[in-house]
Amino acid sequence: MIKDYETLRILSDPLRMQILGYLIAHEYTGKQIADLMKLAPPKIHYHLKELEDKGLVKVVRTEEKNGIVQKFYRAVAFDYVIDEELLPIIHSQPTLLQEVLITQLHMVIGRIRETPADSFPSIVEHVEGASLEPPFIGDAYEFKVERKDLQQWIIKYRSLLKELEELDRSFRETIDRNPRKDPGEVFFLQNVGFVTPTQYFVTEDHDLPPGYQWAGRGLVRRIGS
C-alpha cells in the first residue's frame, strides 16, 4: 500500500518502474538489470538504492563471485495499491495521474512475466469460444463515441465489474466451506481507458472497405471512413 507522496514520487519514475517490473518477475543483481536494460550499472544501483530505501525492493540473497559479493534484489510485492488519501493529490496533478497509470501498467508487465505460459491461450490453436482455453482478454481498441454515450457505457461496464466481484465473493464463500473446490487460480484484470486526440489504429490504405476491419490487436479504421 502506497501511503505517502514521496514513495509515490519514487514509483512515478519510468526507469524505476522498469526496474521494479523486472524484480517483480525474478530476482536480479544490479549488474544483471543493467545488462538487460543496456544501461550503466552505477545508474541502476542508484535507482535500486532509492527503491530499497522506500521498502519497495529488498535483497533476498547474496552470492560471492570472484571475490565480489553480489546482491540479488526482488520486489517486496507483486502489486502496489495507492491509498485513497493520495487520490486528491493525484487528480490535482494530471501528469502525476499519467505516471500512476504507467506505474500500474509496469506492475502488469511484471505479473505477466511471472505467470506461467500455460495460463495463456495458444494463439495458433485458439478457437473462439473454446471451453478448454484459459479465460483471456488481451485486446486494444479505439472508439469515436460521444462523451455522454461513453459515460453511460462506462456505468454499464462498472456494473459488470460489480457482477464479477459478487461472483468472486460467492465463490470464495464456497471455498471456505469446501477448500477442495479451490481451483488454485485467479482471473487478473487490468482496465485502462482514456480520451486522447491521437489515433493509432488508422491506415491510409484506400483499398480497405468503409468502416472497420478486424485486425490481430484491435480495430483498424480507414482514414476518411
Side-chain angles (χ1 to χ4, degrees), residues 80-99:
Y80 296 84
V81 179
I82 298 170
D83 194 310
E84 290 185 2
E85 291 186 7
L86 290 177
L87 294 182
I89 297 175
I90 294 171
H91 289 294
S92 67
Q93 302 182 39
T95 55
L96 183 56
L97 180 56
Q98 286 176 291
E99 294 302 332

Side-chain angles (χ1 to χ4, degrees), residues 13 41 151 179 203:
D13 182 278
Q151 293 287 7
T203 178

Side-chain angles (χ1 to χ4, degrees), residues 55-106:
L56 298 168
V57 303
K58 65 179 180 180
V59 176
V60 291
R61 67 183 180 92
T62 59
E63 183 179 296
E64 187 173 339
K65 185 176 182 181
N66 299 325
I68 299 173
V69 177
Q70 297 179 314
K71 295 180 180 180
F72 286 80
Y73 292 86
R74 192 77 196 266
V76 300
F78 289 109
D79 201 359
Y80 296 84
V81 179
I82 298 170
D83 194 310
E84 290 185 2
E85 291 186 7
L86 290 177
L87 294 182
I89 297 175
I90 294 171
H91 289 294
S92 67
Q93 302 182 39
T95 55
L96 183 56
L97 180 56
Q98 286 176 291
E99 294 302 332
V100 169
L101 291 176
I102 291 169
T103 296
Q104 292 174 340
L105 292 175
H106 275 295

